[in-house]
Amino acid sequence: MTTRTLYLFGSAAPPVFDIAHVIEEAQTRGWDVCLGLTPTAAEWLEDGLDGLAALTGHPVRSRYKRPGEPDVWPKADAILVAPATFNTVNAWAQGLTDRFVVGVVAEGIGKGIPMATMPCVNAAYVQHRAFERSVQELREMGVQVLYGEGGFVPNQPGEKRPYPWERALDAMDALLPLSGA
């Protein structure tokens, strides 16, 4: 069986606390997972970062490497950005690459890497006009945005419900099917 390399990038939204389970599920689907986190998400998961690195077999990254340092991850076959916060979606669409996660996916568009994102935003955030423009911008750049019917549907502020991780992983499998199975 051929292994595909998935960069899984998470922002600081409650579903990021389920990331170990998501990594395990992706691995059962034939993905070699490299985990990247926004700085706040890395802070939230700080106590478990060593365990997540052991689970993936790769260092967890939340910052750019220094010039001249070797890349510690294999080349990505596909990238999933989930959960993607209001801030991450807007920064990515606008090309604001001060954070490692956003920088990699912004460059990934130009490299033609298959990518999907599933936002995790509440209904109050999506009332801001920038969000819909950003979703449209990412779609026009070829990113599969799992938002709305068939993806993430915004909840009311403070409402808790399951995040549809299966849909995100199914989208990645559809973007880059496993060969040699």
Side-chain angles (χ1 to χ4, degrees):
M1 174 174 25
T2 303
T3 301
R4 307 161 292 173
T5 299
L6 174 67
Y7 287 7
L8 174 59
F9 289 158
S11 302
V16 80
F17 289 108
D18 299 326
I19 208 79
H21 169 72
V22 176
I23 291 167
E24 290 170 341
E25 177 62 24
Q27 290 170 332
T28 67
R29 293 173 180 228
W31 290 101
D32 176 24
V33 181
C34 297
L35 178 62
L37 301 167
T38 62
T40 302
E43 182 182 319
W44 286 8
L45 299 176
E46 184 176 21
D47 293 340
L49 292 179
D50 289 341
L52 291 168
L55 179 61
T56 64
H58 304 285
V60 177
R61 295 186 61 192
S62 61
R63 301 196 187 290
Y64 286 108
K65 65 181 184 69
R66 291 188 177 109
E69 286 183 346
D71 200 339
V72 294
W73 286 356
K75 183 180 169 210
D77 293 309
I79 301 173
L80 172 61
V81 183
T85 59
F86 178 83
N87 189 46
T88 296
V89 169
N90 288 323
W92 183 7
Q94 294 175 34
L96 304 176
T97 61
D98 60 324
R99 290 180 292 143
F100 165 73
V101 164
V102 176
V104 172
V105 294
E107 185 177 37
I109 290 169
K111 290 180 173 181
I113 299 171
M115 287 187 276
T117 186
M118 189 160 57
C120 183
V121 293
N122 68 42
Y125 275 120
V126 301
Q127 297 307 308
H128 195 290
R129 295 184 326 189
F131 186 76
E132 285 296 334
R133 286 193 300 256
S134 293
V135 166
Q136 184 61 32
E137 188 73 23
L138 290 173
R139 285 179 171 153
E140 289 174 7
M141 288 187 275
V143 177
Q144 183 176 2
V145 181
L146 305 166
Y147 172 68
E149 194 67 32
F152 180 81
V153 176
N155 51 293
Q156 293 303 312
E159 178 186 0
K160 306 239 186 283
R161 64 179 136 122
Y163 187 71
W165 280 111
E166 285 293 315
R167 290 180 188 162
L169 292 174
D170 289 348
M172 298 314 300
D173 289 339
L175 279 174
L176 194 68
L178 186 61
S179 63

